[in-house]
Amino acid sequence: MHELLVLSSSLSKLYWVISPQLALHIPDGFLSLPVSLVTWVVAIGLIVMALGQVKSEHQERTVPLMGVCAAFIFAAQMINFPIPGGTSGHLLGGTLAGVLLGPWAGSLVMTVVFIVQGTLFQDGGLTVLGANIFNMGLVGTFGGYYFYKALRSTFGFNSWRGTSVALAIAAWTSVVVASLICAIQLALSGTVSLGIAISAMLTWHVLIGIGEAIITVIAVSYIWQARPDLLYDPPKRSSLPRPLVQR
Amino acid sequence: MANRPHQPQNQAFVLMGLGTALLIAIFLSPFASSDPDGLDRVSQDQGFDKQAQEDTPAKKLPFYAVFEEYGLRGVPAGVATPLAGLIGTLTVLALPGDLESFW
């Protein structure tokens, strides 16, 4: 009982240090109508295609994994990690979702996360939801995923070393590219000039991307050890004994 | 069907993943950094943070009566964020399956 009281009082103290966060979540009012509309059209187009694609894949395997992946990314996005300079960042998770589920199912997972954040928790504007889905979701699930796949083929598709290097680079790049695209959207909307937007966004997101890389590598390393067969591109393990394979 | 022999393992994996997500959402969320994050910081530094709409569409939804950002209303401050994390995590867990069967 006493411990509970201590715990709850320390938790309530901690609560006061938490304030609303946007991350890369664009609020209503930052983007012009044309920019919002174009990003909505692109996001909806890709989501409709994704729904069709996932329907034709093996659902009994994919659907429970999609749910658990969405749950993890939602939870992880709540955790802002501090970066030097008095700023913070959190996982976006697009690359992680793509690596686990493939770009199509991964895109649906990210879409669900941003819809719930925007509607239930007022995180990210509803008028700019298309832009948020595109920047923080689709850039990672498509761009991050295909970049990871190309890098993994280069560095060693079936080795953890090659895979982890590919994951780290792709996850970091997806955050930097997402911040660049966000900067361009802000500039096109007349909110801030392009040069300033790009340099200011890059300054922080080259650092935030390191957090994305670390969390993505840790999450996939767990899957790699526990259930590598569940990865969208599982490593091919030879049936020969290990020493022979390595030789 | 080829998957059948692995089904208990699949369940174990899903439960492990969900357990991890819930632990993060409930017990780690109160420790999240309160520093402004990337876009926040840029909007403050460049002076366009005031362009953010105050009366947003999301505040007109019924959920706004339940959650104030990542905090459940009407509960002690110490559990507001963990409970919001719990509810949000379970919501996104259920949604992809619903989306698929609905489509």
Side-chain angles (χ1 to χ4, degrees):
Chain A
M1 194 63 211
H2 176 67
E3 284 88 345
L4 262 179
L5 280 173
V6 170
L7 181 70
S8 81
S9 85
S10 63
L11 278 178
S12 58
K13 267 182 219 124
L14 276 162
Y15 177 81
W16 297 110
V17 303
I18 300 165
S19 63
Q21 297 299 321
L22 300 171
L24 253 185
H25 289 70
I26 304 170
D28 295 304
F30 276 14
L31 297 186
S32 66
L33 187 62
V35 172
S36 304
L37 280 179
V38 169
T39 47
W40 264 115
V41 168
V42 174
I44 289 175
L46 280 166
I47 292 160
V48 169
M49 283 169 72
L51 281 165
Q53 288 282 335
V54 174
K55 197 88 186 158
S56 59
E57 286 173 13
H58 304 286
Q59 279 192 61
E60 68 285 354
R61 192 198 87 105
T62 311
V63 168
L65 277 184
M66 284 171 72
V68 82
C69 184
F72 178 81
I73 289 172
F74 175 86
Q77 285 209 2
M78 285 185 77
I79 314 303
N80 279 67
F81 48 81
I83 58 169
T87 303
S88 72
H90 64 62
L91 179 78
L92 299 185
T95 305
L96 175 61
V99 167
L100 178 57
L101 300 162
W104 298 107
S107 297
L108 292 187
V109 160
M110 298 308 294
T111 301
V112 162
V113 169
F114 295 124
I115 288 174
V116 169
Q117 289 175 338
T119 53
L120 262 60
F121 303 108
Q122 307 108 45
D123 189 15
L126 293 183
T127 60
V128 293
L129 185 57
N132 281 328
I133 290 173
F134 183 86
N135 300 352
M136 294 186 288
L138 306 179
V139 165
T141 52
F142 287 96
Y145 168 74
Y146 284 111
F147 191 35
Y148 141 86
K149 215 174 159 183
L151 291 169
R152 193 176 149 192
S153 299
T154 308
F155 293 124
F157 194 86
N158 296 317
S159 77
W160 170 244
R161 181 184 294 235
T163 303
S164 57
V165 170
L167 282 167
I169 296 174
W172 180 85
T173 308
S174 73
V175 171
V176 172
V177 170
S179 77
L180 264 178
I181 293 176
C182 181
I184 293 169
Q185 290 163 346
L186 291 168
L188 284 175
S189 301
T191 305
V192 59
S193 75
L194 184 64
I196 289 173
I198 288 180
S199 66
M201 288 297 275
L202 279 184
T203 303
W204 299 113
H205 288 93
V206 293
L207 295 173
I208 293 171
I210 297 172
E212 180 89 11
I214 292 170
I215 298 169
T216 303
V217 169
I218 290 173
V220 176
S221 80
Y222 165 72
I223 303 169
W224 185 275
Q225 282 162 22
R227 292 294 305 276
D229 57 307
L230 290 181
L231 290 171
Y232 193 68
D233 304 291
K236 287 166 196 73
R237 297 257 160 89
S238 170
S239 53
L240 291 167
R242 272 204 158 186
L244 283 174
V245 178
Q246 281 172 346
R247 209 152 278 272
Chain B
M1 234 166 267
N3 237 359
R4 234 204 215 133
H6 295 294
Q7 227 145 43
Q9 284 166 280
N10 285 347
Q11 283 172 6
F13 181 84
V14 166
L15 287 176
M16 267 303 276
L18 177 60
T20 308
L22 289 174
L23 285 176
I24 293 170
I26 297 168
F27 295 106
L28 229 49
S29 60
F31 298 94
S33 167
S34 59
D35 288 338
D37 55 30
L39 178 58
D40 248 336
R41 175 62 184 266
V42 170
S43 70
Q44 288 167 18
D45 287 353
Q46 306 302 327
F48 64 88
D49 51 323
K50 292 163 289 285
Q51 283 196 39
Q53 227 172 287
E54 270 304 311
D55 196 24
T56 62
K59 289 185 177 170
K60 297 186 174 75
L61 295 175
F63 305 115
Y64 188 54
V66 184
F67 301 106
E68 187 181 13
E69 291 178 333
Y70 291 98
L72 183 65
R73 293 179 190 270
V75 297
V79 294
T81 297
L83 284 175
L86 170 70
I87 297 167
T89 303
L90 293 177
T91 305
V92 296
L93 173 80
L95 272 179
D98 297 344
L99 196 71
E100 271 307 293
S101 48
F102 170 78
W103 189 250

Short mmCIF file of all heavy atoms in Angstrom, two decimals, chain B residues 58-99:
data_model
loop_
_atom_site.label_atom_id
_atom_site.label_comp_id
_atom_site.label_asym_id
_atom_site.label_seq_id
_atom_site.Cartn_x
_atom_site.Cartn_y
_atom_site.Cartn_z
N ALA B 58 -10.27 17.76 -34.65
CA ALA B 58 -10.23 16.64 -33.71
C ALA B 58 -10.90 17.00 -32.38
O ALA B 58 -11.44 16.14 -31.68
CB ALA B 58 -8.78 16.21 -33.47
N LYS B 59 -10.91 18.30 -32.04
CA LYS B 59 -11.52 18.72 -30.77
C LYS B 59 -13.04 18.75 -30.86
O LYS B 59 -13.72 18.96 -29.87
CB LYS B 59 -10.99 20.10 -30.37
CG LYS B 59 -9.54 20.05 -29.92
CD LYS B 59 -9.05 21.39 -29.40
CE LYS B 59 -7.61 21.26 -28.91
NZ LYS B 59 -7.03 22.57 -28.61
N LYS B 60 -13.56 18.55 -32.08
CA LYS B 60 -15.01 18.50 -32.23
C LYS B 60 -15.51 17.06 -32.20
O LYS B 60 -16.72 16.82 -32.23
CB LYS B 60 -15.42 19.18 -33.54
CG LYS B 60 -15.06 20.66 -33.54
CD LYS B 60 -15.57 21.40 -34.75
CE LYS B 60 -15.32 22.89 -34.65
NZ LYS B 60 -13.89 23.23 -34.90
N LEU B 61 -14.59 16.11 -32.14
CA LEU B 61 -14.98 14.70 -32.08
C LEU B 61 -15.34 14.33 -30.63
O LEU B 61 -14.84 14.94 -29.69
CB LEU B 61 -13.82 13.81 -32.56
CG LEU B 61 -13.41 13.95 -34.02
CD1 LEU B 61 -12.19 13.09 -34.32
CD2 LEU B 61 -14.57 13.55 -34.94
N PRO B 62 -16.22 13.33 -30.48
CA PRO B 62 -16.60 12.91 -29.11
C PRO B 62 -15.40 12.41 -28.29
O PRO B 62 -15.42 12.49 -27.07
CB PRO B 62 -17.62 11.79 -29.35
CG PRO B 62 -17.49 11.42 -30.79
CD PRO B 62 -16.98 12.61 -31.51
N PHE B 63 -14.36 11.94 -28.99
CA PHE B 63 -13.19 11.42 -28.25
C PHE B 63 -12.51 12.51 -27.42
O PHE B 63 -11.81 12.21 -26.45
CB PHE B 63 -12.16 10.82 -29.22
CG PHE B 63 -12.73 9.77 -30.12
CD1 PHE B 63 -12.80 9.97 -31.49
CD2 PHE B 63 -13.21 8.57 -29.60
CE1 PHE B 63 -13.34 9.00 -32.33
CE2 PHE B 63 -13.75 7.60 -30.43
CZ PHE B 63 -13.81 7.82 -31.80
N TYR B 64 -12.73 13.76 -27.83
CA TYR B 64 -12.09 14.86 -27.11
C TYR B 64 -12.64 14.97 -25.69
O TYR B 64 -11.97 15.48 -24.79
CB TYR B 64 -12.30 16.18 -27.87
CG TYR B 64 -11.53 17.34 -27.29
CD1 TYR B 64 -10.15 17.26 -27.10
CD2 TYR B 64 -12.18 18.53 -26.94
CE1 TYR B 64 -9.44 18.33 -26.57
CE2 TYR B 64 -11.47 19.60 -26.42
CZ TYR B 64 -10.10 19.50 -26.23
OH TYR B 64 -9.40 20.55 -25.70
N ALA B 65 -13.86 14.47 -25.48
CA ALA B 65 -14.42 14.47 -24.13
C ALA B 65 -13.78 13.38 -23.28
O ALA B 65 -13.90 13.38 -22.05
CB ALA B 65 -15.93 14.27 -24.20
N VAL B 66 -13.13 12.42 -23.94
CA VAL B 66 -12.53 11.28 -23.23
C VAL B 66 -11.04 11.47 -23.02
O VAL B 66 -10.49 11.19 -21.95
CB VAL B 66 -12.79 9.97 -24.01
CG1 VAL B 66 -12.26 8.77 -23.23
CG2 VAL B 66 -14.27 9.81 -24.33
N PHE B 67 -10.35 11.96 -24.07
CA PHE B 67 -8.90 12.12 -24.00
C PHE B 67 -8.52 13.57 -24.24
O PHE B 67 -9.01 14.21 -25.17
CB PHE B 67 -8.21 11.27 -25.06
CG PHE B 67 -8.49 9.80 -24.96
CD1 PHE B 67 -9.34 9.18 -25.85
CD2 PHE B 67 -7.89 9.04 -23.95
CE1 PHE B 67 -9.61 7.83 -25.77
CE2 PHE B 67 -8.16 7.68 -23.87
CZ PHE B 67 -9.01 7.08 -24.77
N GLU B 68 -7.61 14.08 -23.42
CA GLU B 68 -6.97 15.34 -23.71
C GLU B 68 -5.55 15.01 -24.12
O GLU B 68 -4.69 14.73 -23.28
CB GLU B 68 -6.99 16.27 -22.50
CG GLU B 68 -6.48 17.65 -22.86
CD GLU B 68 -6.46 18.56 -21.65
OE1 GLU B 68 -6.61 18.06 -20.52
OE2 GLU B 68 -6.28 19.77 -21.85
N GLU B 69 -5.31 15.01 -25.43
CA GLU B 69 -4.08 14.47 -25.99
C GLU B 69 -3.84 13.09 -25.37
O GLU B 69 -4.80 12.33 -25.23
CB GLU B 69 -2.94 15.46 -25.82
CG GLU B 69 -3.24 16.64 -26.74
CD GLU B 69 -2.26 17.78 -26.72
OE1 GLU B 69 -1.61 17.97 -25.69
OE2 GLU B 69 -2.18 18.48 -27.74
N TYR B 70 -2.59 12.76 -24.99
CA TYR B 70 -2.36 11.41 -24.48
C TYR B 70 -2.64 11.33 -22.98
O TYR B 70 -1.82 10.85 -22.20
CB TYR B 70 -0.94 10.94 -24.80
CG TYR B 70 -0.73 10.71 -26.28
CD1 TYR B 70 -0.13 11.68 -27.07
CD2 TYR B 70 -1.16 9.54 -26.88
CE1 TYR B 70 0.05 11.49 -28.43
CE2 TYR B 70 -0.99 9.33 -28.24
CZ TYR B 70 -0.39 10.31 -29.01
OH TYR B 70 -0.23 10.12 -30.36
N GLY B 71 -3.82 11.79 -22.59
CA GLY B 71 -4.22 11.69 -21.19
C GLY B 71 -5.71 11.40 -21.11
O GLY B 71 -6.52 12.07 -21.76
N LEU B 72 -6.06 10.37 -20.34
CA LEU B 72 -7.47 10.05 -20.13
C LEU B 72 -8.03 11.08 -19.14
O LEU B 72 -7.42 11.35 -18.11
CB LEU B 72 -7.59 8.63 -19.57
CG LEU B 72 -9.01 8.09 -19.35
CD1 LEU B 72 -9.77 7.94 -20.66
CD2 LEU B 72 -8.95 6.74 -18.63
N ARG B 73 -9.17 11.66 -19.48
CA ARG B 73 -9.77 12.65 -18.59
C ARG B 73 -10.44 11.98 -17.40
O ARG B 73 -10.87 10.83 -17.49
CB ARG B 73 -10.83 13.47 -19.34
CG ARG B 73 -10.28 14.36 -20.43
CD ARG B 73 -11.42 15.08 -21.11
NE ARG B 73 -11.02 15.79 -22.31
CZ ARG B 73 -10.60 17.06 -22.34
NH1 ARG B 73 -10.52 17.74 -21.21
NH2 ARG B 73 -10.25 17.62 -23.48
N GLY B 74 -10.53 12.71 -16.29
CA GLY B 74 -11.31 12.27 -15.14
C GLY B 74 -10.63 11.23 -14.27
O GLY B 74 -11.28 10.61 -13.43
N VAL B 75 -9.33 11.00 -14.49
CA VAL B 75 -8.61 10.07 -13.62
C VAL B 75 -7.42 10.82 -13.03
O VAL B 75 -7.03 11.87 -13.56
CB VAL B 75 -8.11 8.82 -14.39
CG1 VAL B 75 -9.29 8.02 -14.92
CG2 VAL B 75 -7.16 9.19 -15.50
N PRO B 76 -6.86 10.32 -11.92
CA PRO B 76 -5.70 11.00 -11.33
C PRO B 76 -4.59 11.21 -12.37
O PRO B 76 -4.38 10.36 -13.24
CB PRO B 76 -5.24 10.04 -10.24
CG PRO B 76 -6.46 9.26 -9.89
CD PRO B 76 -7.25 9.14 -11.15
N ALA B 77 -3.91 12.34 -12.28
CA ALA B 77 -2.90 12.72 -13.27
C ALA B 77 -1.87 11.61 -13.49
O ALA B 77 -1.44 11.38 -14.62
CB ALA B 77 -2.20 14.00 -12.83
N GLY B 78 -1.50 10.90 -12.43
CA GLY B 78 -0.45 9.89 -12.54
C GLY B 78 -0.80 8.73 -13.44
O GLY B 78 0.08 8.06 -13.98
N VAL B 79 -2.08 8.45 -13.60
CA VAL B 79 -2.47 7.29 -14.42
C VAL B 79 -3.10 7.71 -15.75
O VAL B 79 -3.44 6.86 -16.57
CB VAL B 79 -3.43 6.34 -13.67
CG1 VAL B 79 -2.72 5.71 -12.49
CG2 VAL B 79 -4.69 7.06 -13.23
N ALA B 80 -3.26 9.02 -15.98
CA ALA B 80 -3.94 9.49 -17.20
C ALA B 80 -3.20 9.05 -18.46
O ALA B 80 -3.81 8.53 -19.40
CB ALA B 80 -4.10 11.01 -17.16
N THR B 81 -1.88 9.27 -18.48
CA THR B 81 -1.09 8.91 -19.66
C THR B 81 -0.97 7.39 -19.82
O THR B 81 -1.19 6.86 -20.91
CB THR B 81 0.27 9.60 -19.63
OG1 THR B 81 0.07 11.02 -19.69
CG2 THR B 81 1.14 9.18 -20.80
N PRO B 82 -0.62 6.65 -18.75
CA PRO B 82 -0.57 5.19 -18.90
C PRO B 82 -1.89 4.59 -19.38
O PRO B 82 -1.89 3.69 -20.23
CB PRO B 82 -0.24 4.70 -17.48
CG PRO B 82 0.53 5.83 -16.87
CD PRO B 82 -0.09 7.08 -17.43
N LEU B 83 -3.03 5.10 -18.87
CA LEU B 83 -4.32 4.54 -19.31
C LEU B 83 -4.61 4.90 -20.76
O LEU B 83 -5.12 4.08 -21.52
CB LEU B 83 -5.45 5.05 -18.40
CG LEU B 83 -5.53 4.37 -17.03
CD1 LEU B 83 -6.60 5.02 -16.16
CD2 LEU B 83 -5.80 2.88 -17.18
N ALA B 84 -4.27 6.13 -21.17
CA ALA B 84 -4.43 6.50 -22.57
C ALA B 84 -3.56 5.59 -23.44
O ALA B 84 -3.99 5.15 -24.52
CB ALA B 84 -4.06 7.96 -22.79
N GLY B 85 -2.34 5.31 -22.98
CA GLY B 85 -1.45 4.41 -23.72
C GLY B 85 -2.02 3.02 -23.85
O GLY B 85 -1.99 2.41 -24.93
N LEU B 86 -2.59 2.52 -22.75
CA LEU B 86 -3.20 1.19 -22.75
C LEU B 86 -4.36 1.13 -23.76
O LEU B 86 -4.42 0.22 -24.60
CB LEU B 86 -3.70 0.86 -21.33
CG LEU B 86 -4.57 -0.39 -21.19
CD1 LEU B 86 -3.73 -1.64 -21.40
CD2 LEU B 86 -5.24 -0.43 -19.82
N ILE B 87 -5.25 2.11 -23.69
CA ILE B 87 -6.43 2.10 -24.57
C ILE B 87 -6.02 2.27 -26.03
O ILE B 87 -6.50 1.57 -26.91
CB ILE B 87 -7.43 3.21 -24.15
CG1 ILE B 87 -7.94 2.94 -22.73
CG2 ILE B 87 -8.59 3.30 -25.13
CD1 ILE B 87 -8.66 4.12 -22.09
N GLY B 88 -5.08 3.19 -26.27
CA GLY B 88 -4.62 3.42 -27.64
C GLY B 88 -3.96 2.19 -28.23
O GLY B 88 -4.20 1.83 -29.39
N THR B 89 -3.13 1.51 -27.43
CA THR B 89 -2.42 0.32 -27.91
C THR B 89 -3.41 -0.79 -28.27
O THR B 89 -3.29 -1.43 -29.32
CB THR B 89 -1.42 -0.18 -26.85
OG1 THR B 89 -0.53 0.89 -26.53
CG2 THR B 89 -0.64 -1.37 -27.34
N LEU B 90 -4.41 -1.00 -27.41
CA LEU B 90 -5.40 -2.04 -27.69
C LEU B 90 -6.27 -1.67 -28.90
O LEU B 90 -6.67 -2.55 -29.67
CB LEU B 90 -6.28 -2.29 -26.45
CG LEU B 90 -5.53 -2.91 -25.26
CD1 LEU B 90 -6.45 -3.06 -24.06
CD2 LEU B 90 -4.91 -4.26 -25.63
N THR B 91 -6.52 -0.38 -29.09
CA THR B 91 -7.31 0.06 -30.24
C THR B 91 -6.59 -0.24 -31.55
O THR B 91 -7.18 -0.82 -32.48
CB THR B 91 -7.61 1.57 -30.15
OG1 THR B 91 -8.24 1.84 -28.90
CG2 THR B 91 -8.53 2.02 -31.27
N VAL B 92 -5.31 0.15 -31.64
CA VAL B 92 -4.59 -0.10 -32.89
C VAL B 92 -4.33 -1.59 -33.09
O VAL B 92 -4.20 -2.06 -34.21
CB VAL B 92 -3.26 0.69 -32.99
CG1 VAL B 92 -3.51 2.19 -33.01
CG2 VAL B 92 -2.29 0.33 -31.90
N LEU B 93 -4.27 -2.35 -31.99
CA LEU B 93 -4.10 -3.81 -32.10
C LEU B 93 -5.29 -4.42 -32.85
O LEU B 93 -5.14 -5.28 -33.71
CB LEU B 93 -3.99 -4.43 -30.71
CG LEU B 93 -3.98 -5.96 -30.66
CD1 LEU B 93 -2.60 -6.49 -31.02
CD2 LEU B 93 -4.40 -6.48 -29.30
N ALA B 94 -6.49 -3.94 -32.52
CA ALA B 94 -7.70 -4.54 -33.07
C ALA B 94 -8.01 -4.03 -34.48
O ALA B 94 -8.65 -4.73 -35.25
CB ALA B 94 -8.88 -4.25 -32.15
N LEU B 95 -7.57 -2.82 -34.80
CA LEU B 95 -8.04 -2.18 -36.03
C LEU B 95 -7.58 -2.80 -37.35
O LEU B 95 -8.40 -2.90 -38.26
CB LEU B 95 -7.69 -0.69 -36.02
CG LEU B 95 -8.76 0.19 -35.36
CD1 LEU B 95 -8.32 1.65 -35.37
CD2 LEU B 95 -10.09 0.05 -36.07
N PRO B 96 -6.32 -3.21 -37.53
CA PRO B 96 -5.94 -3.73 -38.85
C PRO B 96 -6.79 -4.92 -39.28
O PRO B 96 -7.17 -5.02 -40.45
CB PRO B 96 -4.47 -4.14 -38.67
CG PRO B 96 -3.99 -3.26 -37.59
CD PRO B 96 -5.15 -3.09 -36.65
N GLY B 97 -7.13 -5.79 -38.35
CA GLY B 97 -7.98 -6.94 -38.66
C GLY B 97 -9.38 -6.50 -39.08
O GLY B 97 -9.93 -6.99 -40.06
N ASP B 98 -9.93 -5.54 -38.34
CA ASP B 98 -11.26 -5.02 -38.66
C ASP B 98 -11.27 -4.39 -40.05
O ASP B 98 -12.18 -4.61 -40.85
CB ASP B 98 -11.67 -3.93 -37.65
CG ASP B 98 -11.79 -4.51 -36.26
OD1 ASP B 98 -11.85 -5.75 -36.15
OD2 ASP B 98 -11.78 -3.74 -35.29
N LEU B 99 -10.22 -3.62 -40.31
CA LEU B 99 -10.09 -2.94 -41.60
C LEU B 99 -10.13 -3.97 -42.73
O LEU B 99 -10.81 -3.79 -43.73
CB LEU B 99 -8.77 -2.18 -41.62
CG LEU B 99 -8.54 -1.12 -42.67
CD1 LEU B 99 -9.41 0.08 -42.37
CD2 LEU B 99 -7.08 -0.68 -42.65
#
